[in-house]
Amino acid sequence: MTDDTRAAAPTPASTAPPAAPPIARLITRLGLLLTGALLTLFAVLAVLHEVVNRRADLQGQLQALAGMVAHNSQAAAMFGNSAEAAEILASLASAPDVTRARLFLPDGQELARWQREGTSGTCHVLRAGGSGLQARWCGMALYLPVVRHAEQQGLVAIEASLAGAYRALLGTLLFSGIAAALVFAAAVPLWRRLARRVAGPLDELVEVASHVGAHEDFSRRFQSAANAEVQALAAAFNAMLAQLQQRDGRLNEELVQRRHAERRLNDLAYLDAVTGLHNRHHFMERIDQILAQTRQSGQTGALLFLDLDGFKQVNDNLGHEQGDELLRQVGQRLRNSLRSGDVICRLGGDEFAVILERVGGLPQVESLAGKLLDELAAPYTLGRQVGHVSASMGICLLPEPAGAPAPTEPGAAAAEREAGREAALRHADAAMYQAKQQGRNCFRVYRPGGSESAQQRRQALRGALAAALQEGQLALAYQPQLDLASRRCVGMEALLRWQHPTLGAIRPMDFIAFAESGGQIVPIGEWVLQQACAQLVQWRRRDPQLRVGVNLSPVQLGDDAALDRLCGILADSGLAAGAVELELTENLLVDRSPVMLGRMARLRAAGFGLAIDDFGIGYSSLAYLDSFPVTTLKIDRAFVRPLQEQAAHRSAIVQAIVAVGRALGIEVVAEGIETERQAERLVQLGCRIGQGYLFAEPQPGAQVDHWVQAPPGSDLAATAPGRIADPAYPA
Ligand code: C2E
Ligand code: CA
Ligand code: CA
């Protein structure tokens, strides 16, 4: 790893203190700094030494020259012979550093002078009164008396320049500078090498640790031929890795065992040990799910009950082992004859059940049933015996056909679900019993109350619905929504009614599903909105605050053109924004695609309020509720019913929904209030608005008209009327 890559290595978590520079770079930097400092110190000392030496040399030289001149000029000074004196002074020319000289007489008069040619300027002024040695940075001057027989005859003054010394010094400096630079250049690789030697093993250790961390590869080891300390570190690190490797291995093994055990447990819980098919436990779970699905989607499913004919004889004659083998082969044949999505279970003994999630209609189921029976009736080989075994089959279509005692709402509460499941099982069992009675090796379909099949009845209704809208058989009923504290009517929910000329009142739950699958729900929904708007315009003359809720099918929401027409109807009515609230089913919230959000936003922009109907029973999580532009949550009556009981935990869900509504600024409306106790509890829990049979069942507009009253303070204010029955559901 180079210095740079080390510097760029990812820094640890943001909370860690900022990392110091890498060790190798630190060592190199410090080393070079040290080398530089030593070289500089050495150079300074060398220069100082040189300067001192040169000055001492010059001083000695000057003294010798002055002594010689003083001695030679004794006679010239005594006789005032300036020519001789000048000659003596001129002899100084042979000494290169001497620049000037003077000879003074004792009375201060200058007898002779000499100056080196080419020198100019003065470092010292040579005066008659001078004495001793005078030193300056530029040079030195020395005064020496000329003495003869202890009598002073004159004074010699000589000046020497230090320029020569400095020139030599410069040379020395240049030389030592080059030498220092060379030494410095040689030191760089040396320090780098040293840095690598120290930091290299650490880098390797970091690399191994990172690799182990990133790939969880505990088999890696750190090998280093470095110093004893690093080797000790490597040994400790490797020992740690070995431990981790062992532990990791154990953990993986445990995990595999655990998964295996879980799968075994799951198999035991949901699979039949003999046939490998699903067991009764799984069957119960799936039938609930599929019943709910078929009810919500309006699609048809089927439940098939099979019982082998004469299984007891096989067990008795061939033994239990062969009995089990027969069951296995039956299971295998069922598997081979059905689609992978179909649910095949062994309920126990020689009873099997098949759930078909989606079928086209009864004829398709009947044809499949025939084929299954033929398949099962083919000869079986058990040991050395070959024999025939047949089966009897009962069929029941899912969900419960119209007219059967089925729950009134999609995905209703657990009790209703259980009732639905029990009914389906009972009916399939009854049909199977019929098949047994009618000669075995055949199937029978459960037909509620008569010879006409459920499918036929559905078909009849489907055909009749097409005409219902044109022939004015459809009508709206309105159910008041009250402010629970004041019992004042604040809104109405519009609910569809079909008054069939011969079949009588048909409940929405019995025809809306196929109105959706047949596409008629789109024009019907538009008609409903038109009616509700017209009615609300009238009511608003009395109570300008009144709102109306209109149910919107997922099919309508999925059709952009239909949505445009709904927006047009609202605009044409001239009603204010928020006057009409569209009620959507909760499971629409599962789809948070931009398309869905865009549609909701479009409806909101057009002035519709958006309510989530039957809230709490579907898939919507409170967590992603805030992604949708929802204005109201309607608490499903499955959660209102338990408020009848005292226990506090029975109100937990309502409490949670009210809290979420409050937090998100969404209105909460309770549905299906049937008792005063429920109404009271709702007020206590902070739910402001509610609807239900306690106050009024859905009725034609004219019959709920008296609920619409002028806002408080107006003369029209009257006492709230009592409960009136819904004509669509005679008691
Ligand atoms: P929903 O929207 O949940 O409507 C409430 C249902 O609960 C209504 O049934 C109403 O009569 C019933 N209900 C009201 N108060 C009580 C009460 O106190 N106790 C009990 N047990 N039930 C009460 P309804 O009228 O049979 O409507 C059933 C469903 O049909 C509605 O459920 C709604 O999903 C659908 N529906 C009704 N009208 C329309 C419509 O115009 N368009 C669409 N797409 N669906 C509609
Ligand atoms: Ca509704
Ligand atoms: Ca509802």
Side-chain angles (χ1 to χ4, degrees):
M1 214 192 288
T2 67
D3 284 7
D4 290 338
T5 54
R6 223 174 293 122
T11 44
S14 55
T15 46
I23 292 177
R25 193 191 292 174
L26 219 61
I27 291 177
T28 314
R29 272 192 203 160
L30 276 176
L32 291 179
L33 211 68
L34 197 69
T35 311
L38 282 176
L39 285 173
T40 310
L41 186 69
F42 177 75
V44 168
L45 287 178
V47 166
L48 280 177
H49 179 255
E50 183 83 9
V51 168
V52 169
N53 271 354
R54 293 269 166 182
R55 286 181 82 100
D57 280 359
L58 198 63
Q59 191 180 339
Q61 200 187 351
L62 213 54
Q63 247 149 8
L65 287 170
M68 189 261 294
V69 169
H71 180 264
N72 291 351
S73 55
Q74 280 174 4
M78 197 167 69
F79 299 109
N81 185 345
S82 62
E84 194 188 336
E87 210 171 304
I88 293 167
L89 290 185
S91 71
L92 289 171
S94 61
D97 292 328
V98 177
T99 47
R100 280 181 301 153
R102 301 259 201 290
L103 185 59
F104 299 101
L105 293 177
D107 59 0
Q109 215 187 325
E110 183 185 285
L111 181 64
R113 62 158 61 197
W114 172 83
Q115 177 156 2
R116 183 176 296 280
E117 264 175 52
T119 54
S120 60
T122 49
C123 183
H124 295 87
V125 179
L126 301 180
R127 284 172 286 106
S131 70
L133 182 77
Q134 289 174 7
R136 286 198 187 164
W137 67 269
C138 48
M140 289 177 187
L142 185 70
Y143 294 87
L144 196 70
V146 179
V147 179
R148 188 184 160 85
H149 300 313
E151 194 179 326
Q152 184 173 350
Q153 303 290 336
L155 181 71
V156 174
I158 301 179
E159 183 202 58
S161 163
L162 276 168
Y166 288 141
R167 264 194 304 279
L169 199 65
L170 207 66
T172 314
L173 259 180
L174 205 67
F175 173 76
S176 33
I178 291 169
L182 287 175
V183 170
F184 195 83
V188 172
L190 282 178
W191 282 112
R192 285 233 169 107
R193 242 177 104 172
L194 182 71
R196 262 201 301 277
R197 252 197 91 102
V198 173
L202 289 181
D203 288 342
E204 278 164 39
L205 182 61
V206 168
E207 196 268 318
V208 173
S210 313
H211 174 89
V212 170
H215 302 97
E216 290 189 9
D217 173 13
F218 301 114
S219 64
R220 265 298 283 272
R221 291 294 177 268
F222 171 42
Q223 308 292 0
S224 175
N227 324 46
E229 293 91 325
V230 177
Q231 291 207 347
L233 181 65
F237 182 75
N238 289 341
M240 196 176 76
L241 280 182
Q243 261 185 15
L244 278 174
Q245 189 178 13
Q246 252 181 17
R247 221 170 274 182
D248 190 50
R250 269 205 308 273
L251 250 151
N252 277 340
E253 209 172 295
E254 264 171 38
L255 208 69
V256 168
Q257 279 172 1
R258 182 117 136 236
R259 288 218 185 100
H260 193 74
E262 267 169 18
R263 211 172 306 135
R264 273 292 302 145
L265 270 176
N266 202 48
D267 288 352
L268 281 178
Y270 290 99
L271 291 186
D272 169 47
V274 177
T275 59
L277 296 175
H278 289 296
N279 62 12
R280 175 178 284 274
H281 188 99
H282 178 83
F283 171 79
M284 289 304 183
E285 279 188 14
R286 291 293 284 141
I287 186 89
D288 276 355
Q289 288 168 1
I290 290 172
L291 270 174
Q293 269 169 31
T294 49
R295 247 179 233 142
Q296 281 184 6
S297 65
Q299 260 150 353
T300 307
L303 171 61
L304 279 53
F305 259 22
L306 290 102
D307 192 285
L308 299 184
D309 304 322
F311 178 67
K312 190 171 178 298
Q313 281 95 305
V314 175
N315 254 349
D316 289 350
N317 298 340
L318 303 179
H320 286 271
E321 250 180 66
Q322 294 305 337
D324 285 354
E325 175 57 23
L326 174 63
L327 293 175
R328 261 192 292 279
Q329 291 188 23
V330 167
Q332 196 51 50
R333 288 185 192 188
L334 287 176
R335 249 193 226 123
N336 294 344
S337 318
L338 291 161
R339 293 169 303 187
S340 60
D342 297 327
V343 184
I344 313 168
C345 309
R346 179 179 167 229
L347 299 180
D350 57 348
E351 275 179 27
F352 295 83
V354 174
I355 316 173
L356 308 173
E357 234 178 293
R358 202 174 291 179
V359 292
L362 188 59
Q364 193 199 334
V365 183
E366 288 175 337
S367 134
L368 176 74
K371 270 189 228 149
L372 273 183
L373 290 182
D374 288 346
E375 191 64 37
L376 294 181
Y380 294 85
T381 306
L382 300 172
R384 270 177 285 133
Q385 309 275 338
V386 177
H388 290 268
V389 177
S390 64
S392 302
M393 191 190 297
I395 301 173
C396 159
L397 288 182
L398 304 176
E400 283 308 286
T408 53
E409 288 197 4
E416 283 173 347
R417 230 180 1 242
E418 201 177 302
R421 184 215 305 151
E422 290 306 317
L425 299 188
R426 221 176 32 245
H427 296 159
D429 198 55
M432 200 261 295
Y433 189 64
Q434 263 188 332
K436 285 258 186 221
Q437 284 199 323
Q438 288 172 14
R440 309 176 164 218
N441 192 19
C442 65
F443 66 83
R444 286 290 172 269
V445 182
Y446 173 74
R447 293 167 208 278
S451 53
E452 189 194 25
S453 81
Q455 188 64 18
Q456 281 166 329
R457 184 176 145 88
R458 272 169 173 274
Q459 288 294 355
L461 280 184
R462 204 183 284 266
L465 180 65
L469 189 56
Q470 273 96 40
E471 291 170 15
Q473 293 169 15
L474 297 185
L476 285 189
Y478 293 90
Q479 186 175 37
Q481 298 178 326
L482 276 63
D483 178 305
L484 293 176
S486 67
R487 298 288 160 99
R488 215 179 80 75
C489 175
V490 292
M492 296 278 186
E493 175 172 2
L495 292 154
L496 191 56
R497 297 289 175 257
W498 179 8
Q499 194 61 38
H500 191 278
T502 53
L503 297 172
I506 302 171
R507 303 180 311 174
M509 289 321 298
D510 292 340
F511 67 88
I512 287 203
F514 63 74
E516 284 174 336
S517 62
Q520 292 112 319
I521 194 69
V522 172
I524 291 177
E526 283 161 24
W527 177 84
V528 170
L529 182 65
Q530 240 155 11
Q531 296 290 308
C533 285
Q535 178 67 76
L536 185 61
V537 166
Q538 286 204 355
W539 277 335
R540 279 210 157 200
R541 292 195 189 122
R542 228 174 310 152
D543 179 359
Q545 303 294 317
L546 196 78
R547 288 178 306 185
V548 72
V550 172
N551 293 284
L552 190 78
S553 150
V555 175
Q556 292 174 277
L557 193 61
D559 182 342
D560 282 311
L563 292 189
D564 284 341
R565 287 194 296 273
L566 292 181
C567 295
I569 293 170
L570 181 68
D572 291 346
S573 74
L575 283 164
V580 179
E581 199 160 54
L582 296 176
E583 299 191 1
L584 312 172
T585 58
E586 183 183 13
N587 30 9
L588 284 176
L589 298 191
V590 176
D591 180 3
R592 278 180 294 159
S593 64
V595 177
M596 185 56 79
L597 287 170
R599 286 179 179 147
M600 293 200 181
R602 189 137 57 92
L603 290 174
R604 290 281 288 120
F608 286 110
L610 292 182
I612 302 301
D613 211 351
D614 307 334
F615 188 77
I617 56 167
Y619 308 94
S620 90
S621 127
L622 297 176
Y624 52 68
L625 195 58
D626 61 347
S627 331
F628 294 93
V630 168
T631 46
T632 301
L633 293 181
K634 297 192 73 177
I635 306 179
D636 188 66
R637 69 190 159 89
F639 304 113
V640 171
R641 197 181 309 119
L643 298 182
Q644 188 57 26
E645 295 163 39
Q646 292 289 343
H649 72 271
R650 307 291 293 180
S651 59
I653 295 175
V654 173
Q655 239 169 332
I657 298 176
V658 170
V660 167
R662 201 168 283 161
L664 298 179
I666 300 175
E667 184 79 78
V668 175
V669 176
E671 292 184 309
I673 304 172
E674 292 181 345
T675 67
E676 275 297 344
R677 162 104 194 117
Q678 291 164 345
E680 268 167 37
R681 281 295 289 143
L682 283 164
V683 173
Q684 282 166 8
L685 294 170
C687 176
R688 209 172 63 80
I689 301 175
Q691 65 189 83
Y693 293 169
L694 172 64
F695 312 116
E697 291 186 15
Q699 299 150 67
Q703 288 175 38
V704 284
D705 193 69
H706 60 283
W707 278 97
V708 182
Q709 289 163 21
S714 151
D715 297 346
L716 289 159
T719 47
R723 177 183 177 235
I724 298 172
D726 179 356
Y729 302 93

